[in-house]
Amino acid sequence: MTSFNEILGPDGVLTDAADVEPYLTDHRRLYRGRALAVVLPRSVDQISRLLAYCNEKRIAVVPHGGNTSYCGGATPDESGQQIVLALKRLNRIRNVDPLNYSLTVEAGCILADAQRAADEVERLFPLSLGSEGTCQIGGNLSTNAGGTNVLRYGMMRDLVLGLEVVLADGRILSTLGGLRKDNTGYDIKSLFLGAEGTLGVITAATLKLFSKARTSATAFAAVRNVQAAVELLSRLREATGDRVSSFELIPRIGIELTTRHIPGVKDPLKQAYEWHVLCEITSSRNADKLDDLLMESLEAAFEANLVLDAVVAKSDREREALWKIRETIPEAQRLDGASLKHDISLPITSLAEFVAKAGDWIRTNVPDGRLVAYGHVGDGNLHFNLNQSPGTPRDAFLAREASIKRVIHDMVRDFGGSFSAEHGIGRLKVDELERYAQPVELDLMRAVKRALDPNGILNPGKVVR
Amino acid sequence: MTSFNEILGPDGVLTDAADVEPYLTDHRRLYRGRALAVVLPRSVDQISRLLAYCNEKRIAVVPHGGNTSYCGGATPDESGQQIVLALKRLNRIRNVDPLNYSLTVEAGCILADAQRAADEVERLFPLSLGSEGTCQIGGNLSTNAGGTNVLRYGMMRDLVLGLEVVLADGRILSTLGGLRKDNTGYDIKSLFLGAEGTLGVITAATLKLFSKARTSATAFAAVRNVQAAVELLSRLREATGDRVSSFELIPRIGIELTTRHIPGVKDPLKQAYEWHVLCEITSSRNADKLDDLLMESLEAAFEANLVLDAVVAKSDREREALWKIRETIPEAQRLDGASLKHDISLPITSLAEFVAKAGDWIRTNVPDGRLVAYGHVGDGNLHFNLNQSPGTPRDAFLAREASIKRVIHDMVRDFGGSFSAEHGIGRLKVDELERYAQPVELDLMRAVKRALDPNGILNPGKVVR
């Protein structure tokens, strides 16, 4: 511990069991590891010296943000030989530049704090996800986080102007500063985005801001089927001048589960329909009458037999009530029983056919499971989950996880889709990556890993083996 | 030639001097090379076999698109030992998917043809540049092309969903198919975007489409100074709901040169002002009254003393006349005499200070030169050119090119800017990259080059040595 203490100071190194405990388990409790120590650096310089030391001594380093990974990406293994590098003390907002529409923040900054810093200067940082009150920017960058505004503003990768990264050998690469155009050689920074800390430790980023949304309109609409949802999105994008920021698919069972398990959730429509979308359009222009625009567009879609019924929120309270349906589906699923989860994406054009085909397979082959398919239609991203049917045995259902996953993921591949749309690989999906990636793609990933981290000290066992 | 003929067929290999000639010189006539042969493959499979062969025999391959590089990126060297790989026969539109808002095209497709394919299905492919009638998608991808719509839609890198690439050893990597979300490992495809054919040969891409612009408004405004232009942009972005698609800075001398040299160009304002912007807002929503919106926003900016005078185009003809000013500046510069060009970018917030400081330096130190600084304010990208003053000796002016460039580029670096905003590195700026890149960044680029092209057969001498 001497060298860690020298580099980080005595309060920068945790080794007591109770102090270390919170860093050993992932958010979903899939894994429980051990650690040589947890280190809490206060500066980029400390991280630089730490990695140089670890690289020399071949000590594995597991970068750790808000610990909200769905794939165990920030949890040390069981060896007790890895150190956890927690970024939470590196949490400054370094610079907010409203005229440049940019924000420079450190990796340990909580996402909600970054959003607030932008909001205070009348700008929008659009990344928004369920865990925004605890997840950290470094984790968002390292997992290329998505969320509910991807349709309009892109994933985290699309929101980055520059990065500061400490490499495996302790050298610091910085492309901070907020340039929007810079064609000087290879796009090295992109390698670190979505690399889950296996190629370098991101310590800060310059992020893109947008004009603050000053007005919005939110609707909940029953649609004829999944294909109608896809066509409705296309119409809304055109009719609103590409101002659709969220467009979420919600099945009947999503309404059933949330109205049953979550206090206060009600079906906003008078009749029971099979498929719904929650959609929101926003504008920075106060004078835009978005409610009218949305209502007119939905009426036209009703005439075209895409929409069966719809409500537009008339107040913030109504808007929140609509969003609550979408946001509490995961919690309602949990309260209803065991579930098997798949975070998949498809070309949007194939969504309806995929849902029909995979749904048929499930009805025939998993009688004790019910399909709960919901999510970000505009991104082709479905949380394609199965929930245990009421009254069936939990263990027997869960025991089939691997074989069901295999069928679903194979089917996703056959449709040209991805088995991990937004949650990344972490430790959980390393096998899946080896199964589904093209061999040449895996070779290139491994070549990049070898080039950037020749001693393999950065988050070993995650992403690529 | 036997093996080339075997792979490509007799009509796929050019060796006659007259046939080869057009491939030996770059668009700006900076370089004149020689070539072992020019090859014209008709399929990805042919390219795969060709590269496998060249990799084995250590024959250097120079990928060649529409030959519109500003940096000699597609021109063979003087050795006569390199082959030119022209992509122009790989020019199919493979797929247009309006519901997925995507387009899959081959590398040899002309940019304007890709735009047209999108337009035919009521979609927009937003990349737009001066050479769009001749440049090819493969070149646009390999140089991360910019243009006049970057402000709203991003650079080419931002418009790519997937790529098909032939690697140095002939293996084919394909991420085509149009997924919007795919977090399965490292972002390998980004490496090829902007790599100028030095890491692989891009053969096709799936590109993002947007809702077709159905209405637009265009204004030409005199602004108090450069800082006022920057502030005006911020106001317009907010006031129009981020619908500003172009925002171009034009100095007094831009008006003087174009009205003098280009038939039909007139100053649209009654008085002579120092700085102007040409701005355009667009929407896919027909009902948006963009003219009124733009006029109101400009009037408010007039009240705030940012705008001194402005006109909004009242017809397509008036719109074209305004754009003609911007688009003919390079030609007017050429007709006026010799010029020294710098393609720089800065954080937008520093633009005004940079223009003031660098302008002062030029007035003091280059009495035979006049500053012609114009370009994409919204991207912080200026074409920061010097034109020979009338009546001064051309050769003496041009003889100072290297020393003037050094001062300008050093100043750009001190402001945190880039010496190559959109034109790339090619052969022309390899020295500049070595001077201005961080050593660690150069090391990483070289490590990536070694990992992907260990025998150095792909466009050697370009980007990194």
Side-chain angles (χ1 to χ4, degrees):
Chain A
M1 292 304 105
T2 318
S3 276
F4 291 153
N5 282 333
E6 272 167 24
I7 294 167
L8 300 150
D11 78 331
V13 184
L14 308 179
T15 50
D16 285 358
D19 295 340
V20 168
E21 181 58 33
Y23 299 91
L24 301 183
T25 311
D26 65 297
H27 163 72
R28 291 175 69 189
R29 306 202 166 269
L30 299 172
Y31 302 105
R32 181 176 166 72
R34 296 194 302 140
L36 200 58
V38 173
V39 296
L40 297 160
R42 292 188 183 279
S43 70
V44 178
D45 179 60
Q46 283 184 342
I47 297 175
S48 165
R49 285 188 287 142
L50 176 76
L51 290 194
Y53 175 78
C54 289
N55 194 44
E56 196 194 311
K57 302 286 183 193
R58 308 290 191 270
I59 299 169
V61 178
V62 180
H64 190 94
N67 202 25
T68 60
S69 171
Y70 269 50
C71 302
T75 306
D77 69 12
E78 292 79 10
S79 69
Q81 298 304 307
Q82 304 187 323
I83 65 164
V84 173
L85 167 55
L87 276 303
K88 68 182 184 188
R89 286 181 178 169
L90 241 76
N91 64 351
R92 284 186 312 141
I93 307 276
R94 289 199 195 161
N95 179 258
V96 193
D97 187 343
L99 279 180
N100 197 45
Y101 283 73
S102 68
L103 169 69
T104 301
V105 287
E106 293 182 341
C109 182
I110 304 263
L111 172 54
D113 292 336
Q115 292 168 344
R116 203 170 300 123
D119 191 71
E120 279 166 9
V121 296
E122 305 291 314
R123 293 289 180 262
L124 171 73
F125 179 61
L127 190 75
S128 176
L129 20 124
S131 60
E132 63 196 26
T134 44
C135 67
Q136 295 172 12
I137 293 291
N140 300 149
L141 294 159
S142 292
T143 58
N144 186 27
T148 51
N149 288 333
V150 171
L151 173 59
R152 175 130 166 223
Y153 297 102
M155 310 271 287
M156 191 56 160
R157 189 173 279 142
D158 302 304
L159 302 174
V160 176
L161 294 172
L163 286 183
E164 180 186 75
V165 184
V166 182
L167 302 180
D169 60 9
R171 287 185 300 171
I172 299 167
L173 172 74
S174 174
T175 57
L176 299 178
L179 290 186
R180 273 159 200 280
K181 272 185 176 174
D182 183 16
N183 269 348
T184 53
Y186 307 152
D187 183 17
I188 296 294
K189 80 169 185 316
S190 279
L191 285 177
F192 302 101
L193 300 167
E196 306 185 31
T198 63
L199 298 178
V201 176
I202 297 173
T203 51
T206 302
L207 305 171
K208 280 185 204 169
L209 302 181
F210 295 83
S211 297
K212 182 168 168 171
R214 289 175 203 283
T215 172
S216 71
T218 311
F220 188 87
V223 288
R224 194 159 37 82
N225 50 33
V226 177
Q227 184 60 22
V230 169
E231 288 174 26
L232 176 61
L233 172 59
S234 169
R235 280 167 160 260
L236 283 181
R237 285 187 64 169
E238 289 192 63
T240 62
D242 262 338
R243 266 170 279 177
V244 183
S245 52
S246 299
F247 196 83
E248 300 286 311
L249 186 71
I250 299 174
R252 178 78 237 142
I253 194 172
I255 310 286
E256 282 171 16
L257 293 177
T258 50
T259 52
R260 181 176 319 146
H261 295 291
I262 310 291
V265 172
K266 290 199 190 83
D267 186 346
L269 302 178
K270 291 194 191 92
Q271 251 180 271
Y273 296 96
E274 276 309 296
W275 292 101
H276 316 76
V277 294
L278 171 64
C279 73
E280 191 158 282
I281 58 177
T282 60
S283 174
S284 66
R285 187 167 174 253
N286 247 326
D288 281 338
K289 289 181 179 147
L290 297 187
D291 282 352
D292 296 351
L293 178 56
L294 187 54
M295 189 55 98
E296 281 162 29
S297 305
L298 289 170
E299 277 165 10
F302 180 85
E303 297 297 321
N305 197 25
L306 296 171
V307 165
L308 305 175
D309 194 6
V311 290
V312 173
K314 285 185 288 292
S315 65
D316 282 354
R317 238 181 86 224
E318 286 188 18
R319 175 184 178 273
E320 277 159 33
L322 296 181
W323 270 105
K324 195 171 181 181
I325 303 169
R326 165 65 183 85
E327 282 166 355
T328 57
I329 293 177
E331 175 68 1
Q333 273 193 278
R334 200 183 59 76
L335 292 169
D336 200 64
S339 59
L340 307 178
K341 302 197 167 188
H342 312 88
D343 167 40
I344 63 169
S345 68
L346 298 143
I348 294 164
T349 321
S350 304
L351 272 177
E353 196 187 338
F354 175 84
V355 170
K357 196 175 166 194
D360 278 348
W361 183 85
I362 289 164
R363 272 183 293 279
T364 310
N365 296 283
V366 194
D368 55 343
R370 301 190 297 170
L371 176 62
V372 186
Y374 65 97
H376 319 299
V377 176
D379 316 321
N381 178 194
L382 291 181
H383 299 302
F384 199 81
N385 301 338
L386 275 79
N387 249 59
Q388 173 194 4
S389 302
T392 58
R394 180 185 179 91
D395 290 351
F397 177 69
L398 287 178
R400 296 184 59 195
E401 172 156 24
S403 63
I404 291 172
K405 178 178 291 178
R406 174 58 40 91
V407 174
I408 303 280
H409 285 178
D410 280 0
M411 217 180 274
V412 167
R413 178 199 47 202
D414 295 345
F415 275 83
S418 167
F419 68 89
S420 189
E422 53 177 14
H423 297 161
I425 301 298
R427 180 169 163 181
L428 183 65
K429 298 184 181 174
V430 173
D431 290 334
E432 298 296 281
L433 184 62
E434 288 180 1
R435 179 175 170 87
Y436 294 107
Q438 301 162 64
V440 54
E441 205 176 1
L442 264 183
D443 274 3
L444 290 175
M445 288 188 201
R446 289 183 177 133
V448 166
K449 172 73 177 175
R450 277 193 303 274
L452 270 73
D453 179 22
N455 298 326
I457 65 156
L458 292 172
N459 217 1
K462 315 289 166 54
V463 190
V464 286
R465 253 187 286 250
Chain B
M1 291 304 105
T2 317
S3 277
F4 291 152
N5 282 333
E6 273 167 24
I7 294 167
L8 299 149
D11 77 331
V13 185
L14 309 179
T15 50
D16 284 358
D19 296 339
V20 168
E21 181 58 34
Y23 299 90
L24 302 182
T25 312
D26 65 296
H27 163 73
R28 291 175 68 189
R29 307 202 165 267
L30 299 172
Y31 302 105
R32 180 174 168 73
R34 297 194 303 140
L36 199 57
V38 173
V39 295
L40 297 159
R42 293 189 182 278
S43 71
V44 178
D45 179 61
Q46 284 183 342
I47 297 175
S48 166
R49 285 188 288 145
L50 177 76
L51 290 194
Y53 175 80
C54 290
N55 193 45
E56 196 194 310
K57 302 286 184 193
R58 308 290 191 270
I59 299 169
V61 178
V62 180
H64 190 93
N67 202 24
T68 60
S69 171
Y70 269 50
C71 301
T75 306
D77 69 12
E78 294 77 10
S79 69
Q81 297 305 307
Q82 304 187 323
I83 65 163
V84 174
L85 166 53
L87 277 302
K88 69 181 182 187
R89 286 182 178 168
L90 242 74
N91 64 351
R92 284 186 310 142
I93 308 278
R94 289 198 196 161
N95 179 257
V96 195
D97 187 342
L99 280 181
N100 197 46
Y101 282 74
S102 68
L103 170 69
T104 301
V105 287
E106 294 183 339
C109 180
I110 305 260
L111 172 55
D113 293 335
Q115 293 167 344
R116 204 169 299 124
D119 191 71
E120 280 167 7
V121 295
E122 305 293 314
R123 293 290 179 263
L124 171 74
F125 179 62
L127 190 76
S128 175
L129 20 122
S131 59
E132 62 197 25
T134 44
C135 67
Q136 295 172 11
I137 292 291
N140 299 150
L141 293 159
S142 293
T143 58
N144 185 26
T148 52
N149 287 335
V150 172
L151 173 59
R152 175 133 165 219
Y153 298 101
M155 310 272 286
M156 191 56 159
R157 190 174 279 142
D158 303 302
L159 302 174
V160 176
L161 293 173
L163 287 183
E164 180 184 77
V165 184
V166 182
L167 302 180
D169 60 11
R171 287 184 300 170
I172 300 167
L173 172 74
S174 173
T175 56
L176 300 178
L179 290 187
R180 276 159 197 276
K181 273 183 173 175
D182 184 16
N183 269 347
T184 53
Y186 308 152
D187 184 17
I188 296 293
K189 80 170 184 317
S190 280
L191 285 177
F192 302 101
L193 300 167
E196 306 184 30
T198 63
L199 298 179
V201 176
I202 296 173
T203 51
T206 302
L207 304 171
K208 279 186 207 170
L209 302 181
F210 296 84
S211 297
K212 182 167 168 172
R214 289 174 203 284
T215 172
S216 70
T218 311
F220 188 87
V223 289
R224 196 159 36 84
N225 50 34
V226 176
Q227 184 62 21
V230 170
E231 289 174 26
L232 175 61
L233 172 59
S234 169
R235 282 169 158 259
L236 282 181
R237 285 187 64 169
E238 290 192 62
T240 63
D242 262 336
R243 266 171 279 179
V244 183
S245 52
S246 299
F247 196 85
E248 300 286 310
L249 186 72
I250 299 173
R252 179 78 237 142
I253 194 171
I255 311 285
E256 283 171 15
L257 292 177
T258 49
T259 52
R260 182 177 318 144
H261 295 290
I262 311 291
V265 172
K266 290 199 188 85
D267 187 344
L269 302 177
K270 293 194 188 91
Q271 250 181 272
Y273 296 95
E274 276 309 296
W275 292 101
H276 317 75
V277 294
L278 172 64
C279 73
E280 191 157 283
I281 59 178
T282 60
S283 175
S284 66
R285 187 168 174 251
N286 247 327
D288 280 339
K289 289 182 177 148
L290 295 187
D291 281 353
D292 296 351
L293 178 56
L294 187 54
M295 189 55 97
E296 280 162 32
S297 305
L298 289 169
E299 276 165 10
F302 180 85
E303 297 298 321
N305 198 26
L306 296 172
V307 165
L308 304 174
D309 195 6
V311 289
V312 173
K314 286 186 287 293
S315 65
D316 280 354
R317 236 181 88 225
E318 285 187 19
R319 175 182 177 274
E320 276 158 32
L322 296 182
W323 271 104
K324 193 169 182 181
I325 303 169
R326 165 65 183 84
E327 281 166 355
T328 57
I329 294 176
E331 176 67 2
Q333 272 193 279
R334 199 184 59 78
L335 293 169
D336 201 64
S339 59
L340 308 178
K341 302 198 167 188
H342 312 89
D343 167 39
I344 62 169
S345 68
L346 297 143
I348 295 164
T349 322
S350 305
L351 273 177
E353 195 185 339
F354 175 84
V355 170
K357 196 173 164 196
D360 278 350
W361 183 86
I362 290 164
R363 273 182 292 278
T364 311
N365 295 284
V366 193
D368 55 344
R370 301 189 297 169
L371 176 61
V372 187
Y374 65 97
H376 320 297
V377 175
D379 318 319
N381 178 195
L382 291 180
H383 300 300
F384 199 82
N385 302 338
L386 274 80
N387 249 58
Q388 171 194 6
S389 302
T392 59
R394 180 185 178 92
D395 291 350
F397 177 69
L398 287 178
R400 294 185 61 197
E401 173 157 23
S403 63
I404 291 172
K405 178 177 292 180
R406 175 56 40 90
V407 174
I408 303 281
H409 284 178
D410 280 0
M411 218 180 274
V412 167
R413 178 199 48 203
D414 296 344
F415 274 84
S418 167
F419 67 87
S420 188
E422 53 176 14
H423 297 163
I425 302 298
R427 178 168 165 181
L428 183 65
K429 296 184 181 173
V430 173
D431 290 334
E432 298 296 281
L433 184 63
E434 288 180 1
R435 179 177 171 86
Y436 294 108
Q438 301 162 65
V440 57
E441 204 176 0
L442 265 184
D443 275 3
L444 289 176
M445 288 186 203
R446 288 181 178 135
V448 165
K449 172 73 175 173
R450 275 193 305 272
L452 270 72
D453 179 22
N455 297 327
I457 65 155
L458 292 172
N459 217 359
K462 315 289 165 53
V463 190
V464 286
R465 253 187 285 251

